[in-house]
Amino acid sequence: MPERLLGALLALAAAVLFGASIPFAKLLLGAIGATTLAGLLYLGAGFGVGLLLAVRASFKIRRTEAPLATADWPWLGAVVIAGGVIGPILLMAGLQTTPATSAALLLNLESFFTLLIAWLIFHESIDRRIALGALTILIGAVILSWQGPIGAPRWSALAVIGACLAWAIDNNLTRKLAVADPLVIVAVKGWVAGPITLILAASLGDDFPPVSLAVAASGIGAIGYGGSLIAFVLALRQLGAARTGAYFATAPFMGAALAILLLHEPLTPQVLLAALLMGIGIYLHLTERHDHFHSHDPLVHAHRHTHDAHHQHVHQPDDPPGEPHAHAHAHASIQHAHPHYPDIHHRHRHPLIDR
């Protein structure tokens, strides 16, 4: 399967799983405090992925992913704080008074912020088509966050926007970890972020919910957060942060559709206009093509791979057999032209705006 198609399918799977979690989480708010719910969602993600790790170890399934390196842990710590603690707390706080339909569509801003950070700080390529798509997404989000033509912004909507910014930082930092085992990344994130958030909730006076509700919240987290995070990390390898974020921008539409169906929230003209603008932005992102002559600097790293055009290296006796596999390997310097995206092998600089 072509890498672009695989990356797109993984990003869309991440979007569907996360988008579906929004209205279900909304159903639990009120019965569970916002900060407690945020902690349970991530704790559930950690437990769910931990179960997969236990199954892999019990059945001695061949490991094809690279382990976390010592240099990865500071990046993972920052990911846990931004995406595992701050982002979920802000989202749950915003969901308390923001309709789930609007909150779900506002989550499109995560892709906008992800793209902006990837472009300005990590120098991923952005052409005019991608820039125009990002602008339409931003306009749609502004429409959702204001009450009436001259009204003040909803503070709950601003909390959702803050969650989007926290997750955008998370997304761009996670690209530093994308070569490592995604199960380990997500498990650590859940095991650390979940308890920290629950301790914070207890210090703020949140009561712990009945066991049945806690299990329900953890189940939503295991599927909607854990499964989504695994797919997202894998997509980052193929597409880079900006384009993975663009595909992930379809998540809010799944959440909004389920909110209308399950929670019977109204389909207002404001929501329809915002959805139209965001849909145009996503279409522009998904139909972009990037192809130019580029150079690969010499590189040594370890990650899951097969022996494709970018992986023509000699194996050592202790390297794992079979494909795909993971081991440290070297890339020679090459120059060529082909369609590509900012995956783990194509993180070269571009002009501020490509044509």
Side-chain angles (χ1 to χ4, degrees):
M1 181 182 293
E3 290 183 355
R4 166 73 188 269
L5 178 58
L6 175 61
L9 291 176
L10 287 166
L12 289 171
V16 169
L17 290 170
F18 181 72
S21 73
I22 301 302
F24 286 105
K26 174 78 172 178
L27 287 171
L28 294 176
L29 277 171
I32 303 178
T35 307
T36 300
L37 181 56
L40 288 171
L41 289 170
Y42 259 96
L43 193 62
F47 277 128
V49 177
L51 181 61
L52 293 179
L53 287 170
V55 169
R56 186 172 73 181
S58 298
F59 289 92
K60 297 181 179 179
I61 298 172
R62 182 172 67 92
R63 184 170 180 169
T64 61
E65 298 286 352
L68 283 165
T70 303
D72 293 333
W73 287 99
W75 293 108
L76 184 54
V79 163
V80 168
I81 294 170
V85 178
I86 297 174
I89 290 175
L90 287 175
L91 177 61
M92 293 305 109
L95 272 178
Q96 289 186 93
T97 54
T98 300
T101 307
S102 296
L105 287 174
L106 272 173
L107 288 174
N108 272 299
L109 274 177
E110 180 183 340
S111 71
F112 174 79
F113 290 141
T114 298
L115 181 147
L116 199 63
I117 294 169
W119 174 45
L120 293 177
I121 298 177
F122 294 103
H123 308 290
E124 288 193 10
S125 62
I126 303 297
D127 60 18
R128 292 173 184 173
R129 190 180 192 87
I130 292 290
L132 181 60
L135 180 61
T136 60
I137 290 172
L138 176 61
I139 294 171
V142 169
I143 289 173
L144 280 178
S145 64
W146 285 76
Q147 297 177 346
I150 316 178
R154 301 184 182 98
W155 292 112
S156 57
L158 293 179
V160 176
I161 292 170
C164 292
L165 179 58
W167 276 322
I169 294 170
D170 173 356
N171 295 340
N172 278 280
L173 295 180
T174 301
R175 74 199 287 277
K176 295 283 189 179
L177 309 170
V179 299
D181 191 336
L183 294 184
V184 175
I185 293 170
V186 176
V188 171
K189 192 174 182 180
W191 292 337
V192 176
I196 288 176
T197 308
L198 288 175
I199 291 171
L200 178 60
S203 69
L204 294 174
D206 271 10
D207 293 326
F208 197 80
V211 174
S212 59
L213 291 179
V215 170
S218 298
I220 294 170
I223 299 171
Y225 280 38
S228 177
L229 283 167
I230 292 170
F232 193 92
V233 172
L234 292 172
L236 280 172
R237 293 182 184 174
Q238 313 296 341
L239 303 176
R243 286 157 184 81
T244 300
Y247 282 96
F248 192 74
T250 57
F253 292 101
M254 173 62 70
L258 282 175
I260 291 168
L261 292 173
L262 297 178
L263 306 181
H264 307 292
E265 292 184 354
L267 186 61
T268 64
Q270 185 182 22
V271 169
L272 286 173
L273 177 58
L276 175 63
L277 288 168
M278 292 176 174
I280 292 171
I282 292 168
Y283 170 78
L284 290 171
H285 281 187
L286 301 185
T287 53
E288 174 246 3
R289 179 182 172 88
H290 186 71
D291 185 350
H292 64 91
F293 186 82
H294 58 276
S295 299
H296 292 264
D297 294 330
L299 174 67
V300 177
H301 62 177
H303 66 93
R304 177 188 170 102
H305 65 277
T306 57
H307 290 170
D308 57 19
H310 290 96
H311 295 91
Q312 298 299 315
H313 49 257
V314 176
H315 276 198
Q316 303 302 317
D318 57 346
D319 285 339
E323 293 185 35
H325 55 211
H327 62 87
H329 56 277
H331 294 271
S333 176
I334 59 173
Q335 296 81 38
H336 58 183
H338 63 93
H340 63 279
Y341 301 91
D343 59 24
I344 57 176
H345 298 107
H346 295 91
R347 290 180 177 166
H348 45 263
R349 291 198 172 219
H350 296 79
L352 266 181
I353 296 288
D354 286 346
R355 297 199 171 197

